[in-house]
Amino acid sequence: MEEERLEMMLGSYGGKVSVLEWETESGAAEETMLLWGIQQPTLSKQNAFVSHSSLQLLLDACGHSLSILQSPSSLGKPGVTGAVMWDSGVVLGKFLEHAVDLGILVLQGKKVVELGSGCGLVGCIAALLGAQVILTDLPDRLRLLKKNVESNLRHGVRGSAAVKELTWGDDPDNDLIEPPPDYVLGSDVIYSEGAVVDLLDSLTQLCRPQTTVFLSGELRNDTVLECFLEAAVKDFVVGRIDQSQWHPDYCSPRVVMYILVKK
């Protein structure tokens, strides 16, 4: 099945990706079964690049030493997300840096919207790579997010970063969609079936055909991922980015990365 997949470039990303195309309703289920079979996420270490007991995550990126504050005490509270970093965020951030270094991705001067920014690592890296970034999250997550953006983007930033409230499913403010973003980013945003509809609603509102979406996620629940993919392919061309294109020091069998472009 994997060998028969169409490989092509999608959107503004210069690497080839494995395009998800299926003619039967079981296509999304087959993709998740394939992932779990190939990567066997449950057999590898969780949180290889992060620690949920630590108050901060230290990471070198784009010639900067980033210090991302976390709120471990908030982890596990009902309804609270984005209080700590997950491997998928580190993987996505370092993937962006690696792709820019290879010349297969250009973020300099591009408008980027990040969904569910959480602690803000991915958006900060995008700003360091020259993008004009708007980091978004729920109202109760903005305090920690703003603190991390302000403390990590003081000097030598090629782009810019602003923090804005966005609840998935709500109408986005005009400055998020006009002009349309060149890129939309999200890490660990596919975490519950209930959130899938609102996430896709926001992606549909934010994106134009020229917008390229990068989503990375933890392989925790095959049902949730299947639900997302099944719905996403109706409005987006979806491709999976092979781990051979990720930063070589930041790969994990517990993480998957997709690229989406509006049909």
Side-chain angles (χ1 to χ4, degrees), residues 13 92 95 105 183-186 212-216 241 258-259:
Y13 176 58
L92 179 56
F95 161 79
L105 182 68
Y183 296 94
V184 174
L185 308 174
T212 302
V213 181
F214 291 107
L215 300 180
S216 65
I241 303 176
Y258 290 105
I259 179 171

Side-chain angles (χ1 to χ4, degrees), residues 247-262:
H247 190 295
D249 296 332
Y250 293 91
C251 294
S252 167
R254 298 185 71 100
V255 175
V256 66
M257 195 181 307
Y258 290 105
I259 179 171
L260 291 77
V261 176
K262 205 171 190 181

Side-chain angles (χ1 to χ4, degrees), residues 107-114 120-135 149-150 152-163 185:
L107 292 182
Q108 182 67 47
K110 303 298 185 181
K111 180 178 178 180
V112 172
V113 174
E114 186 185 10
L121 173 68
V122 175
C124 285
I125 290 177
L128 291 172
L129 292 168
Q132 314 297 316
V133 187
I134 305 175
L135 300 89
V149 169
E150 289 165 3
N152 285 284
L153 299 179
R154 293 177 189 230
H155 309 291
V157 183
R158 291 163 54 193
S160 65
V163 173
L185 308 174

